Amino acid sequence: MANDCFVVRPGSGLRGGSTVPGDKSISHRAVMFGAMAVGTTHVRAWLAAGDTEASLASIQALGIRVERLSRNELVIHGGAFEPPKSYLNLVNAGTGIRLLAGIMCGQPFPSVLDGSEQLRRRPMKRILTPLQMMGAAISGTNDRAPLTIQPAQMQGIQYDMPVASAQVKSAVLLAGLFAKGATTVVQPGPARDHTERMLSAMGVNIVTEGDHIVLTPGATLKPINLTVPGDISSAAFPIVAALLVPGSDITLTGINLNSTRTGLIDVLHAMGADLTVTETGLEGGEPVGTIRARHSVLKGTQVGGAKVVEMIDEFPILMVAATQAEGETVVRDAQELRVKETDRISVMAGELRKFGAEITETPDGFIIKGPQKLTATVAEGHDDHRISMSLSVAALLTEGQSTVIDARCAGDSFPGFAGTMAALGMDIQQRDLE
Ligand code: S3P
């Protein structure tokens, strides 16, 4: 049981400017790919959070020297890995374990990848199947972590991915770096493409044509100089809070606007949100820009198909927005939400019901009719960062003081969440439970 919480009281609106911490997906990839590149990779604005620190510790356990110039600035001296002295502990990080599994399948020594009880519950067959098809000697424990890997020569394959998952795509492509012949991944939807962008910037022969991604091995990875853009999945919390609380007007700068990640912005626009998005340039091969969000009267919407993967991590906060939108919000094709850090459909529905919300769960989504009046309560984050932060935003819409038990997990992706939100004017404190 967590012994810390967010205490939230409604306020008079969020105002001002802010940044958010570096993108989690890009920060995982920066340390892993930088470790494989021969030479010195310099990373600024790196996300120092629970999940990404686990990836960093893992590459250090593989003998890679990393200079920490500050909390968020790393110099990675990449090159050949050494056999680790113990298992690699990815803690709660699904991206960490799945991507590193692809890399470890290509190493000339055995390894074991494991993590927390929460990570051990998450499905790994989705990576085991294609990696085994390539000839990797990888197995799980009932298809879950711990994962055990032995050295094996892999062959490139064409893999038709059954789910649009960037983690699966990346695990296969990374194993492809060590395989004989080209590896092709065919994706059923536009899953985030940070792996393709970063490997290409490092000199890997990787080409995307429509839904086919083809990686031809052979090149030595070249080190890069990278400033990680702000994580749009973190920006989602202040954005939705500003849209929902009267009097709000905020501007977030340096946010990653990669179109494989901006599904929430499109959906909020369709709901009538007053959001202005301005692209200002490129950072580390990714488009970045400014998002201004002002209080808006939202209306219900429908989300399904390809849009789902472009906002897969933003459904918990969309559920909060939907409770305040006029009419019905219907989400379909989002069954992947059930295998994230928690079953995010049922956990969010259960916790929002504590605020008095009415939510209909469906096997692949939910239906919410709004606007609904929420009442202050004590809710729980279930050791899932995006649940804790979404519930804190829901607490703003009540008339009293709410407590969200389990605040520390917000630091898995958004260290300083309470401080950032408080600086924008939200009445939020992170406290130990009495
Ligand atoms: C991620 C991919 C997504 C996302 C996760 C990060 C990544 O997972 O939910 O938070 O960095 O590749 P899936 O690829 O499993 O959908």
Side-chain angles (χ1 to χ4, degrees):
M1 175 74 169
N3 60 358
D4 60 339
C5 62
F6 292 124
V7 177
V8 179
R9 278 187 239 114
S12 55
L14 286 82
R15 302 191 73 83
S18 186
T19 56
V20 295
D23 188 277
K24 179 155 83 72
S25 294
I26 296 174
S27 295
H28 276 298
R29 287 161 174 80
V31 290
M32 289 188 204
F33 304 179
M36 287 190 288
V38 179
T40 306
T41 286
H42 195 155
V43 189
R44 293 182 185 80
W46 186 74
L47 173 69
D51 277 15
T52 46
E53 293 283 359
S55 285
L56 175 59
S58 295
I59 64 134
Q60 288 174 307
L62 289 163
I64 298 300
R65 191 164 69 83
V66 179
E67 283 173 79
R68 195 128 193 192
L69 302 186
S70 73
R71 226 175 121 61
N72 306 104
E73 189 171 353
L74 309 177
V75 175
I76 303 162
H77 297 274
F81 294 169
E82 290 166 9
K85 295 195 173 58
S86 173
Y87 74 95
L88 300 172
N89 182 2
L90 281 308
V91 194
N92 277 352
T95 305
I97 196 168
R98 293 196 179 108
L99 270 59
L100 197 56
I103 296 171
M104 297 316 291
C105 284
Q107 303 306 314
F109 51 79
S111 56
V112 176
L113 277 59
D114 201 0
S116 64
E117 282 307 313
Q118 185 196 81
L119 191 66
R120 284 181 169 198
R121 285 195 292 272
R122 298 189 64 185
M124 292 296 150
K125 196 167 171 52
R126 51 184 55 204
I127 59 161
L128 296 178
T129 299
L131 292 173
Q132 288 163 353
M133 281 167 67
M134 296 175 82
I138 181 169
S139 60
T141 315
N142 296 323
D143 290 334
R144 289 181 156 68
L147 306 176
T148 305
I149 300 170
Q150 295 291 335
Q153 177 58 59
M154 292 181 284
Q155 300 287 332
I157 56 166
Q158 169 162 326
Y159 187 59
D160 292 285
M161 254 195 328
V163 275
S165 160
Q167 294 177 359
V168 174
K169 167 171 71 173
S170 302
V172 175
L173 291 171
L174 291 167
L177 289 172
F178 304 95
K180 275 202 190 128
T183 293
T184 302
V185 176
V186 185
Q187 50 178 358
R192 63 191 69 190
D193 62 358
H194 309 302
T195 294
E196 297 91 302
R197 285 174 190 252
M198 202 182 290
L199 286 181
S200 173
M202 292 179 142
V204 173
N205 181 350
I206 182 165
V207 179
T208 302
E209 261 174 44
D211 52 8
H212 283 56
I213 304 143
V214 185
L215 181 147
T216 309
T220 303
L221 267 69
K222 291 198 294 266
I224 50 169
N225 225 320
L226 170 75
T227 300
V228 180
D231 198 329
I232 192 155
S233 296
S234 297
F237 302 104
I239 288 172
V240 171
L243 294 176
L244 299 183
V245 181
S248 298
D249 183 353
I250 65 164
T251 300
L252 305 176
T253 48
I255 308 300
N256 186 2
L257 298 177
N258 179 324
S259 65
T260 61
R261 298 288 302 281
T262 50
L264 178 72
I265 302 294
D266 302 338
V267 167
L268 290 171
H269 268 144
M271 295 173 85
D274 185 351
L275 281 177
T276 314
V277 180
T278 315
E279 210 172 297
T280 51
L282 277 178
E283 202 72 88
E286 303 265 346
V288 294
T290 297
I291 301 177
R292 181 175 183 188
R294 281 178 278 195
H295 171 248
S296 308
V297 177
L298 300 182
K299 54 182 193 295
T301 192
Q302 310 237 341
V303 188
K307 200 48 69 191
V308 169
V309 66
E310 293 169 12
M311 58 171 293
I312 191 65
D313 293 334
E314 282 65 76
F315 284 99
I317 192 65
L318 179 71
M319 286 174 100
V320 177
T323 66
Q324 304 308 301
E326 193 89 36
E328 210 170 61
T329 295
V330 183
V331 169
R332 298 188 188 86
D333 307 322
Q335 59 277 3
E336 274 294 297
L337 293 175
R338 297 201 179 274
V339 291
K340 294 295 176 187
E341 281 81 337
T342 57
D343 175 340
R344 285 182 170 162
I345 299 175
S346 89
V347 168
M348 272 307 287
E351 295 302 320
L352 284 175
R353 283 184 196 119
K354 294 181 182 170
F355 287 92
E358 275 182 40
I359 316 254
T360 306
E361 264 191 65
T362 59
D364 66 345
F366 53 85
I367 303 167
I368 299 178
K369 280 196 192 119
Q372 301 188 13
K373 188 170 158 36
L374 302 186
T375 47
T377 191
V378 177
E380 280 175 58
H382 297 251
D383 196 24
D384 183 336
H385 48 136
R386 302 202 201 279
I387 302 280
S388 273
M389 292 187 277
S390 299
L391 296 175
S392 303
V393 174
L396 280 179
L397 309 168
T398 70
E399 281 165 6
Q401 175 174 299
S402 294
T403 302
V404 180
I405 297 170
D406 209 355
R408 202 161 297 143
C409 61
D412 280 349
S413 62
F414 195 158
F417 167 72
T420 300
M421 297 302 272
L424 288 168
M426 177 172 166
D427 188 346
I428 180 169
Q429 285 175 13
Q430 187 164 344
R431 285 195 202 150
D432 286 337
L433 280 175
E434 274 107 50

